[in-house]
């Protein structure tokens, strides 16, 4: 326990020293922390307001869009098979939303 504590305190002091000597790193770490915290608030709000199923659908859409945008931005090949997979995911998501809305009527 003492050795772990010493290791962590040495690592922490090295990290703090690095951040103090590299302001851009400190800015990036603080920015990332703030965005991460804000994202968590939105996740909690979404689950509380719309429920876990809607949140799961939102996250699935986000992941598929992330992959497609990454392919276009960084020039990754988007094969017909992967494009078909993305389309199937979107169709399944929208059919689920449609079925849920229809069952409410």
């Amino acid at each position: 326990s003492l050795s772990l504590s010493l290791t962590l305190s040495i690592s922490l002091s090295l990290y703090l020293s690095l951040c103090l000597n590299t302001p851009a790193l400190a800015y990036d770490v603080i920015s990332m922390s703030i965005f991460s915290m804000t994202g968590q608030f939105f996740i909690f709000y979404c689950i509380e307001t719309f429920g876990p199923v809607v949140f799961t659908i939102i996250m699935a859409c986000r992941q598929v869009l992330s992959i497609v945008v990454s392919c276009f931005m960084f020039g990754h090949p988007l094969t017909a098979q992967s494009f078909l997979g993305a389309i199937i995911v979107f169709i399944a998501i929208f059919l689920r939303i449609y079925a849920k809305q229809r069952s409410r009527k």
Side-chain angles (χ1 to χ4, degrees):
S1 174
L2 180 60
S3 62
L4 178 64
S5 175
L6 288 173
T7 303
L8 290 177
S9 66
I10 291 170
S11 296
L12 181 62
S13 65
L14 289 173
Y15 169 74
L16 291 175
S17 171
L18 180 64
C19 282
L20 290 174
N21 292 328
T22 316
L25 174 66
Y27 176 78
D28 288 345
V29 168
I30 291 169
S31 299
M32 189 105 130
S33 298
I34 290 170
F35 290 129
S36 178
M37 178 186 64
T38 305
Q40 288 298 315
F41 285 137
F42 281 117
I43 288 170
F44 292 137
Y45 174 77
C46 181
I47 292 172
E48 182 180 320
T49 305
F50 303 108
V53 174
V54 173
F55 175 70
T56 303
I57 292 169
I58 291 169
M59 293 309 291
C61 286
R62 184 191 65 81
Q63 289 174 344
V64 170
L65 285 174
S66 228
I67 291 168
V68 172
V69 168
S70 173
C71 288
F72 288 118
M73 282 182 64
F74 299 109
H76 299 296
L78 190 60
T79 64
Q81 194 175 22
S82 59
F83 189 69
L84 179 63
I87 289 173
I88 289 171
V89 168
F90 276 118
I91 289 172
I93 289 169
F94 289 119
L95 284 176
R96 183 176 180 133
I97 293 170
Y98 175 74
K100 189 172 185 178
Q101 290 298 326
R102 192 166 176 186
S103 69
R104 286 184 182 174
K105 290 181 180 179

